[in-house]
Amino acid sequence: MMGERTVMQEALFYEFNLERHVPADHLLRSIDRFVDLSRLRAHLRPFCSEIGRPSVNPELMIRMLLIGYCLGIRSERRLCEEVHLNLAYRWFCRLGLEAAVPDHSTFSKNRHGRFRDSDLLRELFETTVRRCIEAGLVGGNSFAADASLIRADANKQRSAEGSETVDWEAMAATRRSVREYLDTLDEAAWGAASEVQPKFVSRSDPAAQWTGALKGNAFFAYATNYLIDLDHAVIVDVEASRAIRQAEVGAARTMIDRTRDRFGLYPERLAADSAYGSAEMLNWLVHERGIEPHIPVFDRSERSDGTFERADFTYDHQADAYICPAGKPLRPRQVVYRTPRPLVDANGMIRYRASKLDCEACALEPRCCPNTPARKVPRSVHEGARDMARDIAATDAYATSCRERKKIEMLFAHLKRILKLDRLRLRGPNGARDEFHLAAAAQNLRKLAKLIPMPTPMPA
């Protein structure tokens, strides 16, 4: 027997408790314990007008943005629709059933205005770091640094060749991303990171770097740089930069210094890949910051033609000379010039040269310098730090750091696959910073929710 057709009838009164309709194991309920926005109004007050119509509650907008980044909702228009329909989202945003959801355009207006002027999203991220420190999830002894490429909202069809002349000043009058590009030309993480002209420059987002680093089709991208604590893979700092090695190394220095200043964290060792193994970076870590570099040394001295490598020469510290396999010394200078020449070249290298007479009479000359009259061995002025990194690479602690460094790669995979941040929606350096700060804050909040269990409810 077929049942009667159901007809919805609006009731005059409802008794509805939103709290009871959110499951106890819902992700947002776990995250809500660690969201502290009590200082948000005081932080924004200097950037708000004292007159005019009241604005949308900033705490509501931040909670909605956290929902979007924690659950991979990339579109703000769709985010507003989801908050309007989903009871758990309304509960997290402190919205009742009858409360209106802000229009999606409100986010853009505040992001380009008071949020960015007050650096609110940076403050939000640092609040999550402090919460992780209070919860005991940050040891502060072992850090790891790395960068990952995120596609920019730009394409080749609207780009210009690197050698092409473009009137950026005129374009800056109408495009915010171009104005930000011009403002960052002298910054170490952006325009000043490298003097090499890129092959293509995007007209819509000129700060994005044209790169083929992923061994596939080239694309415009930014780099998100993470500094994590290896105890529980908590992100202690995040920085946006150009997608080139020099900018990423500079961003790592910035994050290490900022973490020390903001949170008082002094790591004993830093784990990273060979991109951070330049002589200058290793010297900065060892001699200026007192940090053990668990980093492969960036070395180009290996040879594939069967001749002796630099590793085949022994350095004598007392004599300041290299000893070749035949037992002859190589010294920094063998010739006396009328006009003294600097020992150190522009790349910070000292050339150790053998005597031409020694090389001509040596039986190992075909394996040592078959194409030159005498052998030369370059040595960096920061070779002491490089030697220390090589010694550390032979220890068990280094092997442990190499295994633990994979945690940062897992965070990048989580960022792109779970949080859906594989392509930026916002343009310009400031847009990249905003997205990276929110994504890192969301990852830290999810980490807190995962590692700290919900309190067991007491029976009535």
Side-chain angles (χ1 to χ4, degrees):
M1 178 178 174
M2 184 180 296
E4 296 182 0
R5 185 177 62 180
T6 303
V7 179
M8 184 179 69
Q9 181 177 359
E10 295 289 343
L12 295 178
F13 302 99
Y14 287 98
E15 182 180 351
F16 188 87
N17 189 334
L18 195 59
E19 176 75 24
R20 292 201 304 264
H21 284 74
V22 179
D25 58 349
H26 197 282
L27 175 62
L28 290 181
R29 188 179 285 277
S30 299
I31 289 176
D32 184 66
R33 299 173 292 156
F34 309 106
V35 178
D36 182 11
L37 302 178
S38 58
R39 299 191 301 175
L40 185 144
R41 288 184 174 275
H43 186 82
L44 283 178
R45 186 168 289 112
F47 302 90
C48 298
S49 175
E50 298 293 336
I51 59 176
R53 186 176 62 182
S55 63
V56 177
N57 184 4
E59 181 177 349
L60 169 61
M61 287 188 287
I62 293 298
R63 285 183 173 273
M64 289 180 65
L65 287 173
L66 287 177
I67 290 175
Y69 279 84
C70 285
L71 300 176
I73 304 174
R74 302 288 295 130
S75 169
E76 289 167 357
R77 187 186 297 270
R78 179 174 166 239
L79 175 63
C80 293
E81 295 173 355
E82 293 290 337
V83 172
H84 176 71
L85 295 173
N86 194 297
L87 294 179
Y89 297 173
R90 280 185 171 272
W91 172 85
F92 184 81
C93 294
R94 308 297 191 262
L95 281 175
L97 291 178
E98 302 296 332
V101 178
D103 188 77
H104 64 89
S105 62
T106 306
F107 293 94
S108 177
K109 182 68 175 178
N110 282 274
R111 183 193 306 112
H112 296 307
R114 52 181 178 169
F115 284 5
R116 192 163 291 174
D117 295 339
S118 64
D119 208 9
L120 178 65
L121 300 181
R122 176 74 200 181
E123 177 66 22
L124 174 67
F125 164 72
E126 292 186 353
T127 300
T128 65
V129 179
R130 295 189 187 95
R131 189 66 181 85
C132 291
I133 294 174
E134 294 171 0
L137 301 183
V138 178
N141 295 324
S142 303
F143 282 2
D146 204 354
S148 184
L149 301 185
I150 306 295
R151 291 179 180 270
D153 184 22
N155 56 61
K156 184 181 177 182
Q157 283 70 27
R158 296 185 179 180
S159 65
E161 294 188 4
S163 57
E164 183 180 343
T165 301
V166 181
D167 189 358
W168 296 113
E169 294 290 346
M171 296 177 64
T174 57
R175 298 186 182 182
R176 182 182 291 105
S177 60
V178 178
R179 291 199 301 270
E180 295 178 5
Y181 162 72
L182 297 178
D183 292 340
T184 57
L185 286 178
D186 297 329
E187 295 186 14
W190 300 100
S194 174
E195 297 180 357
V196 178
Q197 188 72 28
K199 187 175 182 180
F200 296 101
V201 179
S202 171
R203 297 177 186 272
S204 57
D205 193 357
Q209 180 74 28
W210 179 258
T211 177
L214 299 184
K215 308 301 181 183
N217 295 331
F219 56 94
F220 288 105
Y222 286 93
T224 176
N225 299 269
Y226 277 4
L227 182 68
I228 72 167
D229 183 87
L230 288 177
D231 281 6
H232 294 93
V234 171
I235 305 170
V236 294
D237 208 346
V238 59
E239 183 73 10
S241 72
R242 286 177 64 187
I244 56 175
R245 182 178 62 85
Q246 299 92 320
E248 294 166 3
V249 172
R253 295 189 185 189
T254 300
M255 292 188 294
I256 291 172
D257 286 343
R258 187 164 52 200
T259 302
R260 178 194 59 188
D261 297 337
R262 301 287 178 87
F263 309 113
L265 299 177
Y266 296 83
E268 297 178 359
R269 54 186 176 272
L270 177 72
D273 57 28
S274 59
Y276 301 83
S278 64
E280 294 80 5
M281 180 62 178
L282 295 175
N283 179 75
W284 182 83
L285 288 172
V286 173
H287 295 117
E288 297 187 30
R289 294 297 180 269
I291 300 174
E292 292 183 3
H294 289 225
I295 303 172
V297 177
F298 187 74
D299 195 351
R300 295 181 178 177
S301 64
E302 296 182 358
R303 295 191 175 188
S304 58
D305 57 359
T307 57
F308 293 132
E309 302 176 353
R310 183 169 59 187
D312 297 320
F313 293 76
T314 304
Y315 182 70
D316 186 346
H317 288 270
Q318 293 183 350
D320 188 23
Y322 276 98
I323 307 301
C324 74
K328 301 297 183 179
L330 285 76
R331 303 188 185 279
R333 179 165 290 162
Q334 297 286 359
V335 180
V336 178
Y337 297 94
R338 291 183 179 180
T339 303
R341 299 184 180 182
L343 284 176
V344 183
D345 63 15
N347 297 321
M349 305 297 289
I350 303 174
R351 309 288 175 177
Y352 287 74
R353 295 175 171 83
S355 171
K356 183 178 179 181
L357 297 177
D358 291 339
C359 291
E360 288 178 348
C362 182
L364 299 178
E365 190 266 345
R367 290 192 58 196
C368 186
C369 51
N371 301 320
T372 57
R375 180 61 187 261
K376 294 183 292 186
V377 175
R379 179 181 174 84
S380 172
V381 293
H382 306 307
E383 198 67 27
R386 287 159 58 90
D387 288 339
M388 180 178 179
R390 292 188 185 99
D391 293 340
I392 292 174
T395 63
D396 294 337
Y398 177 82
T400 301
S401 296
C402 288
R403 290 194 302 270
E404 293 182 339
R405 187 167 57 84
K406 296 178 181 179
K407 294 178 180 179
I408 199 168
E409 299 291 347
M410 295 171 64
L411 283 172
F412 288 139
H414 180 268
L415 176 71
K416 296 177 181 180
R417 296 182 181 181
I418 306 302
L419 304 189
K420 310 298 183 183
L421 188 60
D422 54 352
R423 181 185 177 96
L424 294 175
R425 293 182 57 254
L426 308 181
R427 292 175 176 172
N430 288 331
R433 290 191 188 103
D434 290 349
E435 293 219 54
F436 295 159
H437 282 148
L438 280 168
Q443 287 184 292
N444 279 347
L445 288 173
R446 290 176 65 112
K447 180 74 67 175
L448 284 164
K450 177 182 178 181
L451 297 181
I452 301 179
M454 291 282 290
T456 303
M458 297 297 293

